[in-house]
Amino acid sequence: MTLTKWRSLSLLCILTLAVSLIVNACNLLPQQLTPLRVGITSWAGFDIALYAQEAGLFKQRGLEVQLIRFQNQQDATRAMLRGTLDANFASLWDVLQSDSGSDKPVVVMVTNISHGADGIVAQPVIKSVANLRGKRVGAKLGTVNHLILLEALKLHQIKPEEVKVEDISNETAVELMRQGRLDAAVLWQPLLGETAQAIEGDIIFTTGEVDSLVIDTLVSRSTITRTKKAELKHFIKAWFDIMSAVEIKPKEVFQKVANNLGQKGEDFAKDYAGVKKGDIAMQQQMFQSGRLPEAIAQMAKLLKSDPRAGRMPRQDVEINTELVTTVIKEWKS
């Protein structure tokens, strides 16, 4: 081999090695994640996410999260589907009734299931759900309150049309209950307990009495689950960090969240006690055992049983099992 050929071959080997080292180095660098815009409404099962901001958990996962506050879940879901948000916290019931559009909703995680935090408060003369036949019950049609009422009626074998539903907000329902102008109302804590105490009435039903369909989720759209898969995975990892902290140091978690909300730590703790938290065990139950498709079918049946809401269930809600299943394997506390 001539000296010139040897030098050329050596240079080629060096260049090949250099390119290999550069490529491998790039692969080892942390992946640059784009900001994630997430809609959130006031609910203990969602507000627990504030701990990730207060404790820097999102940053530790290399993620910038903007939590955008909405007054109701319907508006947040609409914004997400139209592209203003990347994801949002919403009940599966609301997702099922969301407006149709160019993209479809995708459930990527379960945040919690109501287990006593929602219920029905009634005037003192009404002692049971069975006494609601022919009565006026405050519940915004199409919302989670409507679902809670339908669950209670089904449990007591009462047809939806046997109850007069007043299509009103929580705040209006509370005021009418205090004035004695409403027989019962569907509310969530702390309004549920506060109203019962104020009118000296009874809480005649809570979601703790059933395997509730009040299933709350993190939902995105199909485009984002493809283009921001890494960001969603890191968000879910941060969520599992939160769930771990709730298990290990609940007082600290509740206090930090309460401080952000302007509440007392013990008050937020009481509200959160009314839900089953969305930890890894719950994700496995909901995504890997077929519970979510089953729940959607049950919700669709309930919605059709009471057409007063004027909404038909979507047929294209997607359940993405890949993201949460992958994160469960990768997550480390």
Side-chain angles (χ1 to χ4, degrees), residues 58-73:
F58 289 135
K59 289 184 178 179
Q60 290 174 24
R61 291 293 180 179
L63 190 62
E64 179 186 340
V65 175
Q66 301 170 17
L67 293 176
I68 314 298
R69 185 70 64 171
F70 282 77
Q71 291 298 314
N72 62 72
Q73 295 177 30

Side-chain angles (χ1 to χ4, degrees), residues 10-263:
S10 298
L11 180 60
L12 180 61
C13 291
I14 291 171
L15 287 174
T16 302
L17 178 61
V19 170
S20 177
L21 289 172
I22 291 171
V23 170
N24 288 330
C26 290
N27 288 336
L28 292 173
L29 288 174
Q31 186 175 5
Q32 292 299 311
L33 303 174
T34 58
L36 205 60
R37 290 173 58 85
V38 180
I40 187 171
T41 52
S42 296
W43 169 243
F46 300 154
D47 284 329
I48 198 72
L50 296 173
Y51 178 72
Q53 284 189 326
E54 297 295 322
L57 300 182
F58 289 135
K59 289 184 178 179
Q60 290 174 24
R61 291 293 180 179
L63 190 62
E64 179 186 340
V65 175
Q66 301 170 17
L67 293 176
I68 314 298
R69 185 70 64 171
F70 282 77
Q71 291 298 314
N72 62 72
Q73 295 177 30
Q74 295 89 342
D75 286 346
T77 302
R78 191 176 299 114
M80 180 274 296
L81 287 173
R82 292 178 178 177
T84 306
L85 302 172
D86 298 310
N88 70 290
F89 291 108
S91 73
L92 191 55
W93 177 255
D94 282 323
V95 174
L96 194 63
Q97 298 176 77
S98 58
D99 298 333
S100 59
S102 58
D103 212 340
K104 60 183 178 181
V106 182
V107 178
V108 299
M109 184 181 74
V110 171
T111 62
N112 66 274
I113 299 175
S114 181
H115 190 67
D118 302 274
I120 302 174
V121 59
Q123 298 292 350
V125 295
I126 298 174
K127 301 298 183 183
S128 168
V129 173
N131 301 139
L132 290 181
R133 287 186 174 88
K135 303 299 184 182
R136 296 170 64 237
V137 181
K140 190 70 177 174
L141 290 171
T143 67
V144 172
N145 289 21
H146 187 200
L147 170 61
I148 295 162
L149 176 61
L150 292 177
E151 284 191 322
L153 297 180
K154 180 182 178 182
L155 180 64
H156 290 266
Q157 300 180 333
I158 300 173
K159 296 179 180 179
E161 60 268 25
E162 293 182 89
V163 173
K164 300 175 183 177
V165 177
E166 296 294 328
D167 187 16
I168 54 178
S169 67
N170 274 7
E171 293 75 15
T172 302
V174 169
E175 184 59 29
L176 292 179
M177 288 295 290
R178 289 174 179 267
Q179 295 174 8
R181 296 167 54 193
L182 202 61
D183 298 305
V186 182
L187 301 171
W188 57 74
Q189 296 292 11
L191 279 179
L192 182 65
E194 291 172 354
T195 304
Q197 185 175 9
I199 66 173
E200 298 182 351
D202 294 302
I203 297 174
I204 59 174
F205 171 81
T206 77
T207 48
E209 298 176 41
V210 294
D211 182 11
S212 183
L213 293 173
V214 183
I215 301 168
D216 295 317
T217 69
L218 179 71
V219 61
S220 186
R221 60 184 184 278
S222 58
T223 303
I224 295 298
T225 58
R226 294 193 301 270
T227 61
K228 287 195 171 186
K229 181 183 290 188
E231 285 81 358
L232 289 172
K233 284 174 62 177
H234 280 73
F235 188 95
I236 297 172
K237 287 178 181 178
W239 180 266
F240 289 164
D241 295 339
I242 299 169
M243 295 296 98
S244 176
V246 169
E247 195 70 31
I248 297 170
K249 45 186 177 182
K251 287 186 178 180
E252 176 186 317
V253 175
F254 298 146
Q255 189 60 58
K256 283 185 179 293
V257 174
N259 288 343
N260 186 290
L261 296 172
Q263 299 178 0

